[in-house]
Amino acid sequence: MPQTALRDEIKAATITAMKAGDKPRTAALRLIGAKIKDRDIEARTGKAPDNDDDLVIEVLQKMAKQRRESITMYEDGGRQELADQEKGELAVIEEFLPQMMSEDETRAAIDAVKAEIGADSIKDMGRVMGELKKRHGAVLDMGLASGLVKAALS
């Protein structure tokens, strides 16, 4: 599997954090590295994305989503120290994620896809979402897009 800029960036950041003695950052970066390795192993049996950065971004997005859910649960449960730890990990993960599309950009992308494929009812939601993911997968908040597509088609 070819190395990529994003993978190399994460490795370099891990080494820098280790040398600086930044234990929380080092732990978060090592966790990212481990998740990427897990995904590499899964990809051997399945279909890996053609672009390796897409694979890394997919892993990072999944990790970020998990952290956000955990932060909410910990804060609701009154476990602020655990929520703060998750927030620290989330901040490190987000450093490597590309800038996500804004709500206005997402609406514009949805309108473009809708017009292009002639989507006009809620039955077309799957086609619209599939096309959005194909075109803007790495920079699109799929949760936000889903709600906006549903509103645009109903």
Side-chain angles (χ1 to χ4, degrees):
M1 180 154 281
Q3 291 296 316
T4 64
L6 200 51
R7 235 177 240 260
D8 294 339
E9 217 177 293
I10 292 169
K11 283 183 182 157
T14 305
I15 293 166
T16 304
M18 285 166 50
K19 287 180 179 173
D22 187 342
K23 285 185 178 15
R25 183 172 170 78
T26 302
L29 288 163
R30 283 184 171 158
L31 196 61
I32 292 169
K35 287 288 184 191
I36 291 170
K37 279 194 177 108
D38 288 348
R39 184 66 178 85
D40 286 343
I41 292 167
E42 283 175 29
R44 285 185 204 150
T45 57
K47 165 85 176 87
D50 297 330
N51 180 347
D52 188 61
D53 274 355
D54 289 347
L55 179 141
V56 174
I57 289 168
E58 186 181 303
V59 169
L60 292 172
Q61 285 175 329
K62 199 172 284 185
M63 290 178 74
K65 182 178 181 207
Q66 290 168 339
R67 297 301 170 291
R68 287 187 197 101
E69 290 169 356
S70 296
I71 289 167
T72 304
M73 285 183 357
Y74 288 141
E75 285 177 341
D76 291 349
R79 301 292 308 269
Q80 195 55 48
E81 71 284 356
L82 292 174
D84 291 341
Q85 181 184 340
E86 294 285 318
K87 284 178 185 172
E89 287 179 7
L90 180 60
V92 173
I93 292 166
E94 285 178 337
E95 283 176 39
F96 299 100
L97 280 171
Q99 183 64 45
M100 299 306 267
M101 290 171 70
S102 70
E103 189 170 330
D104 290 337
E105 292 169 325
T106 303
R107 285 181 199 279
I110 290 168
D111 291 341
V113 169
K114 225 174 83 171
E116 211 170 289
I117 65 175
D120 56 2
S121 76
I122 201 74
K123 291 179 189 155
D124 298 316
M125 184 166 174
R127 287 179 34 226
V128 173
M129 290 298 292
E131 192 61 33
L132 283 170
K133 187 170 176 74
K134 192 163 59 175
R135 293 184 192 179
H136 309 287
V139 294
L140 185 69
D141 178 343
M142 294 309 279
L144 171 67
S146 177
L148 293 175
V149 169
K150 193 175 279 181
L153 292 174
S154 55

